[in-house]
Amino acid sequence: RLVSYYTLTHTEMFNRFVRQRAWGFDERVFVECGQTCPTGSFKDDGWNDCMLDKLKVLMNLPADNQPTLYVDADVALMPTLVEWCRWYAEHLEDDTVAFSDDVIQWCAGVMLFRTSRRVQSWWQTVADLSVAWDLPDQDAINHLRMQSASRKGGRLPVKVSLLPRDVVCNWATVSAPTVPAAWDGEPFTVPPTCLAWHANWTIGVERKIQMLERVVLGETSNAAPASA
């Protein structure tokens, strides 16, 4: 199962890089949500409400224990991604959410999990904490992570793992160990093992589309990595 959501500002990007490239997935759950964040830009006014819409999409999935890949609208999918997800999901422990790696934190823009009852209740927990703490979903998750780690015996309601950086990639993973500034058109190399590229660390829809076009068209395949 492949899940995503999008708003008006992200429709073109979603259609080009997610909908039209969702090869092989048996079930596709694509939900258009209202434009609660007028600009559609990271942490602008209305961003938290937009992230709550995302959590509602996840909460509305049936608790049927199916392998499920969630991707944001700014992710480019590669042809053999579905086969890799099926294989990886077979090795996930029960009640595990595998986040993508943002180098400095867990990233909720690409997540692989089975829709168990515990995982489905986790999305409600994240939504409740997002409202209580006035944080978007990813910040709430990472704040909860730090809170649980700081308490003796503390643990999250679900098990957590990180998706491999060479398979689910972004500007930070290809720049590591340097933590980069937001991408501003610098050349970068897409790992040959990359099956999903997330255009985070990238500000604005137009800039995200430029990055994803480079990834999909292979324009950077022979470029040198950006300097630190």
Side-chain angles (χ1 to χ4, degrees):
R1 177 190 289 140
L2 177 65
V3 179
S4 188
Y5 88 113
Y6 59 98
T7 61
L8 182 61
T9 52
H10 287 54
T11 298
E12 177 194 353
M13 180 167 57
F14 167 78
N15 284 336
R16 289 180 61 186
F17 301 105
V18 178
R19 187 191 298 275
Q20 295 175 12
R21 301 177 64 84
W23 300 291
F25 285 91
D26 297 330
E27 180 184 353
R28 304 170 191 180
V29 179
F30 298 152
V31 180
E32 182 176 7
C33 295
Q35 192 71 47
T36 53
C37 178
T39 66
S41 292
F42 184 60
K43 293 191 177 180
D44 275 3
D45 289 344
W47 182 259
N48 289 8
D49 289 334
C50 191
M51 296 302 100
L52 284 175
D53 288 338
K54 164 185 170 178
L55 289 168
K56 289 174 185 175
V57 170
L58 293 169
M59 286 187 284
N60 285 335
L61 296 173
D64 54 6
N65 209 41
Q66 289 300 306
T68 300
L69 177 69
Y70 170 82
V71 298
D72 279 348
D74 59 343
V75 176
L77 311 182
M78 305 304 178
T80 59
L81 174 63
V82 64
E83 288 88 353
W84 183 87
C85 287
R86 287 174 182 148
W87 170 82
Y88 198 87
E90 289 179 358
H91 297 83
L92 279 180
E93 293 186 46
D94 292 341
D95 302 323
T96 296
V97 178
F99 293 96
S100 43
D101 191 345
D102 227 3
V103 179
I104 61 171
Q105 61 185 359
W106 298 341
C107 178
V110 182
M111 300 180 289
L112 184 62
F113 53 90
R114 288 183 175 273
T115 48
S116 67
R117 290 183 180 180
R118 182 177 291 274
V119 167
Q120 289 310 100
S121 67
W122 160 250
W123 307 127
Q124 182 66 62
T125 299
V126 174
D128 292 343
L129 292 176
S130 294
V131 173
W133 292 338
D134 192 24
L135 293 172
D137 63 323
Q138 183 169 290
D139 287 358
I141 289 167
N142 281 286
H143 184 64
L144 182 58
R145 167 197 179 190
M146 298 305 296
Q147 289 290 318
S148 64
S150 66
R151 296 177 181 272
K152 184 177 181 180
R155 62 180 182 180
L156 296 175
V158 295
K159 299 172 187 175
V160 171
S161 66
L162 285 177
L163 296 167
R165 291 182 184 181
D166 61 337
V167 176
V168 179
C169 310
N170 59 51
W171 174 230
T173 62
V174 300
S175 302
T178 300
V179 177
W183 185 68
D184 194 28
E186 300 93 333
F188 58 90
T189 299
V190 179
T193 51
C194 177
L195 296 179
W197 181 283
H198 186 195
N200 58 353
W201 294 85
T202 310
I203 300 172
V205 174
E206 290 186 6
R207 180 65 83 186
K208 288 176 180 287
I209 289 175
Q210 291 173 3
M211 170 178 270
L212 295 175
E213 285 177 340
R214 292 196 186 187
V215 171
V216 169
L217 297 177
E219 294 175 6
T220 60
S221 60
N222 295 314
S227 57

